[in-house]
Amino acid sequence: MSDRKRTYVVLLGVPGAGKGTQAKLLEQATGLPQVSTGDIFRYNLKNQTALGVLAKGYMDQGSLVPDDVTIRMVEDRLQMPDCAKGAIMDGFPRNLVQATAFEQMVAPYGGVSVAPLINVEDDETIRRITGRRTCRTCGTVYHLIFNPPLVEGVCDKDGGELYQRDDDYEATVRNRLFVYYKQTAPLVGYFYAKGLLTEVDGSKSIDAVQADLLALVKCK
Ligand code: ADP
Ligand code: AMP
Ligand code: ZN
């Protein structure tokens, strides 16, 4: 093992559990970058790259983008200079193939540090996702009721327009939940068996969940 120990936090939880919200706050609090595969795909889509166009077909259906493409994209991202101390993983790994690949990527740096599971009931996640609004410019996430911006439709940070993601309508959300239970939920057992899983009560306020997560990350 390299002597360069890094911190890799793998946020787990159903779509809408609050991974992106918490990852952004953890990034501010720890300086470790948020690595969100969903955000990277959306960025590519906005810029009409080949990767973005490919990903769109899968995202619109709520299915997973193929592993080879996704894994290569994360490998590239983790080699960027801002990831020199580790990363907050948001939305990756999302199945067992990705989890195994990720463990190989981070093995030289001490492996996965902790895998917090943000627990929220399914009805609540559907309420959260259908009310989610995202900034077109910086990707900051709001909620119409639970976390509204100061001015309706406008990002507090940069004045960007808030929009509803194409995959945040109820039919697609249900398919994403289905995909989660079939493909991603096994990761809960996977990380538990490795002694890395810690459950966090995601029904609490955004600030309370953040405090719980920060306490976990700080002792790693
Ligand atoms: P994920 O990345 O897991 O899909 P998000 O972070 O995008 O989830 O959160 C989904 C929605 O729920 C967003 O609209 C967000 O503002 C809202 N949200 C996140 N955490 C909480 C919380 N603890 N309480 C209430 N709403 C929340
Ligand atoms: P998210 O922003 O995490 O809600 O992800 C939005 C969509 O991007 C998902 O429904 C998938 O289509 C795609 N996606 C994000 N992360 C992954 C991943 N790790 N593997 C495959 N597809 C992904
Ligand atoms: Zn913004």
Side-chain angles (χ1 to χ4, degrees):
M1 188 181 93
S2 158
D3 55 358
R4 286 167 297 155
K5 173 97 173 76
R6 299 181 180 182
T7 305
Y8 290 103
V9 179
V10 175
L11 292 178
L12 296 173
V14 291
K19 299 179 297 296
T21 302
Q22 296 300 331
K24 276 211 156 46
L25 293 170
L26 282 176
E27 178 177 79
Q28 286 163 23
T30 65
L32 295 169
Q34 169 194 20
V35 173
S36 159
T37 38
D39 281 356
I40 303 174
F41 287 134
R42 279 185 288 279
Y43 176 82
N44 276 274
L45 186 54
K46 192 167 119 186
N47 292 292
Q48 289 291 304
T49 69
L51 175 62
V53 173
L54 172 102
K56 181 175 165 51
Y58 298 94
M59 293 170 83
D60 282 351
Q61 290 179 12
S63 312
L64 296 187
V65 178
D67 288 335
D68 54 342
V69 175
T70 307
I71 290 167
R72 218 174 318 123
M73 183 177 89
V74 172
E75 270 167 357
D76 290 348
R77 179 68 188 89
L78 291 180
Q79 279 165 25
M80 291 183 185
D82 63 323
C83 295
K85 292 189 171 163
I88 314 285
M89 305 305 296
D90 162 18
F92 182 94
R94 226 166 168 115
N95 61 26
L96 289 168
V97 172
Q98 294 181 9
T100 313
F102 182 63
E103 288 215 292
Q104 282 169 7
M105 282 180 229
V106 302
Y109 310 108
V112 174
S113 310
V114 63
L117 170 64
I118 306 177
N119 275 318
V120 174
E121 291 191 1
D122 289 341
D123 284 351
E124 174 66 10
T125 69
I126 289 175
R127 271 195 295 277
R128 286 188 183 184
I129 295 187
T130 48
R132 171 161 60 189
R133 296 295 182 270
T134 306
C135 174
R136 265 194 210 287
T137 312
C138 71
T140 295
V141 171
Y142 297 86
H143 190 281
L144 291 178
I145 297 158
F146 306 141
N147 184 25
L150 296 171
V151 178
E152 196 186 317
V154 180
C155 177
D156 294 349
K157 293 186 183 163
D158 55 18
E161 180 203 357
L162 303 187
Y163 78 109
Q164 182 165 22
R165 280 169 44 178
D166 288 345
D167 58 349
D168 273 356
Y169 296 92
E170 189 159 343
T172 317
V173 171
R174 288 198 183 274
N175 192 43
R176 275 156 61 204
L177 273 183
F178 180 71
V179 169
Y180 173 83
Y181 283 113
K182 207 169 155 194
Q183 303 199 49
T184 312
L187 298 190
V188 174
Y190 178 90
F191 285 112
Y192 173 77
K194 289 175 177 280
L196 295 168
L197 192 84
T198 311
E199 299 199 41
V200 171
D201 180 359
S203 68
K204 296 201 256 182
S205 71
I206 291 174
D207 288 349
V209 176
Q210 175 64 192
D212 290 349
L213 287 173
L214 202 51
L216 280 179
V217 173
K218 281 206 165 139
C219 61
K220 290 297 151 189

